């Protein structure tokens, strides 16, 4: 079981804000058409194959509109589902289910989309030593949720924020005249003891410089496959290798086969398509 990143209070606050945004407590369409005492059974189902993430948020949305709704989670977060698979069983007031439907689906479809795309990347590098990582290219305010969804899909989290680790990028180096050794030395002096220090490298010469400076890891940015293989050879036993930059499902396998230990993929969170899910009423 992967721990959900929000506590009950934070979950309820986030869901409440989304419901208020949607005016779910003043749903004129539902109030006008559905009797207040009507009870229904419903299922939330997958329309496409994928991996589920975000059931706690969907459940909280339904409970916010009907605190007596009965919810049974059929597919817990991290579960791979096929099209037609039931994710949630629901039994409650029709008005509550209808008014919460869009918000519940928005949370679940978005996070399941991230988990699903991550799982595809993980499957693409199966059998290699490479691990799939996310980046900080997340939706503002949703970082904990989207990084959680990456883990649900079998991926791993890169640094969570700017305080978590040091990543010396090209613009950092440009600001200090390209002195990698100085940048690493300053990082060691300012960051907390044991903080991971990584240097972004575009060329093999930069890799050598980063290794000489004592970097823990080199981020191999947009390198050719031949350069990646050479960088892995140079770094073996000295620093962790991570490939990044324009990684796609079409290219990730070849990158992994170069021997890199980590591959960071911004698309996991900034370009994941929502997983197609739907709420279907199945009887009174």
């Amino acid at each position: 079981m992967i721990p959900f990143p929000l506590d009950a209070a934070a979950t309820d606050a986030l869901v409440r804000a989304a419901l208020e945004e949607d005016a779910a407590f003043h749903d004129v369409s539902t109030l006008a058409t559905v009797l207040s005492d009507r009870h229904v059974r419903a299922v939330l189902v997958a329309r496409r194959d994928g991996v589920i993430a975000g059931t706690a948020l969907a459940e909280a949305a339904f409970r916010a509109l009907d605190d007596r709704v009965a919810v049974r989670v059929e597919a817990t977060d991290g579960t791979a589902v096929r099209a037609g698979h039931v994710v949630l069983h629901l039994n409650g007031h029709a008005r509550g289910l209808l008014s919460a439907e869009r918000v519940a689906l928005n949370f679940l479809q978005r996070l399941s989309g991230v988990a699903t795309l991550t799982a595809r990347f993980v499957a693409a590098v199966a059998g290699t030593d490479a691990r799939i990582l996310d980046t900080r290219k997340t939706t503002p305010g949703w970082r904990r949720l989207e990084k959680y969804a990456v883990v649900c899909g079998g991926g791993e989290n890169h640094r969570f924020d700017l305080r978590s680790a040091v990543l010396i990028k090209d613009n950092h180096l440009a600001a200090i005249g390209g002195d990698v050794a100085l940048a690493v030395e300053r990082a060691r002096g300012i960051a907390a003891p044991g903080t991971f220090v990584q240097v972004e490298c575009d060329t093999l010469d930069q890799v050598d410089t980063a290794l000489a400076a004592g970097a823990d890891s080199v981020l191999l940015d947009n390198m050719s496959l031949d350069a990646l293989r050479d960088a892995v050879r140079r770094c073996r036993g000295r620093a962790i290798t991570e490939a990044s930059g324009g990684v796609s499902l079409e290219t990730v396998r070849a990158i992994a086969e170069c021997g890199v230990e980590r591959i960071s993929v911004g698309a996991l969170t900034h370009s994941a398509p929502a997983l197609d899910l739907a709420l279907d009423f199945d009887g009174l």
Side-chain angles (χ1 to χ4, degrees):
M1 180 70 70
I2 304 165
F4 189 66
L6 305 184
D7 62 20
T11 298
D12 289 342
L14 177 62
V15 168
R16 180 85 185 193
L19 291 168
E20 292 283 5
E21 178 184 54
D22 203 33
F25 299 99
H26 307 281
D27 177 2
V28 293
S29 301
T30 296
L31 292 172
T33 57
V34 181
L35 296 175
S36 61
D37 61 350
R38 180 61 59 89
H39 264 70
V40 295
R41 294 189 304 272
V43 289
L44 196 154
V45 299
R47 296 288 192 231
R48 295 285 186 273
D49 298 353
V51 177
I52 298 300
T55 54
L57 294 163
E59 183 174 352
F62 289 119
R63 292 197 186 283
L65 271 297
D66 178 3
D67 60 6
R68 295 186 178 182
V69 64
V71 181
R72 187 172 88 246
V73 179
E74 191 73 25
T76 56
D77 287 2
T79 301
V81 296
R82 293 293 217 176
H85 193 117
V86 174
V87 179
L88 300 178
H89 291 276
L90 302 142
N91 191 327
H93 283 100
R95 281 185 173 180
L97 295 182
L98 285 166
S99 298
E101 175 184 0
R102 185 69 270 152
V103 167
L105 286 172
N106 283 350
F107 280 122
L108 198 55
Q109 287 181 305
R110 168 63 184 157
L111 295 180
S112 297
V114 171
T116 298
L117 183 59
T118 301
R120 294 182 67 191
F121 272 93
V122 171
V125 302
T128 72
D129 293 329
R131 309 191 309 275
I132 299 296
L133 281 73
D134 55 23
T135 70
R136 289 171 33 253
K137 296 175 182 178
T138 54
T139 306
W142 276 56
R143 181 165 296 172
R144 282 185 291 174
L145 294 172
E146 291 177 344
K147 282 183 170 284
Y148 165 76
V150 166
V151 176
C152 288
E156 298 181 18
N157 296 149
H158 206 284
R159 60 176 179 163
F160 185 83
D161 53 32
L162 293 171
R163 182 174 52 187
S164 303
V166 174
L167 174 50
I168 301 167
K169 305 191 77 174
D170 53 357
N171 284 336
H172 294 112
L173 295 173
I176 60 169
D179 194 332
V180 175
L182 178 61
V184 173
E185 180 184 354
R186 286 181 175 177
R188 299 281 189 211
I190 293 173
T195 299
F196 190 80
V197 176
Q198 184 175 47
V199 177
E200 181 181 74
C201 300
D202 300 320
T203 68
L204 292 172
D205 285 344
Q206 289 176 329
V207 171
D208 290 337
T209 303
L211 291 172
D216 297 309
S217 173
V218 291
L219 180 66
L220 308 169
D221 187 46
N222 284 297
M223 285 192 175
S224 69
L225 297 181
D226 286 341
L228 284 175
R229 282 187 283 267
D230 199 344
V232 167
R233 180 184 57 78
R234 298 180 190 208
C235 292
R236 189 168 291 118
R238 301 176 67 188
I240 295 169
T241 52
E242 178 180 334
S244 185
V247 180
S248 69
L249 282 168
E250 292 70 34
T251 63
V252 70
R253 179 76 190 188
I255 292 170
E257 289 175 344
C258 291
V260 295
E261 296 157 89
R262 313 194 320 176
I263 303 175
S264 51
V265 186
L268 300 183
T269 50
H270 72 57
S271 296
L275 181 63
D276 192 359
L277 303 164
L279 183 70
D280 294 332
F281 283 17
D282 69 355
L284 299 180

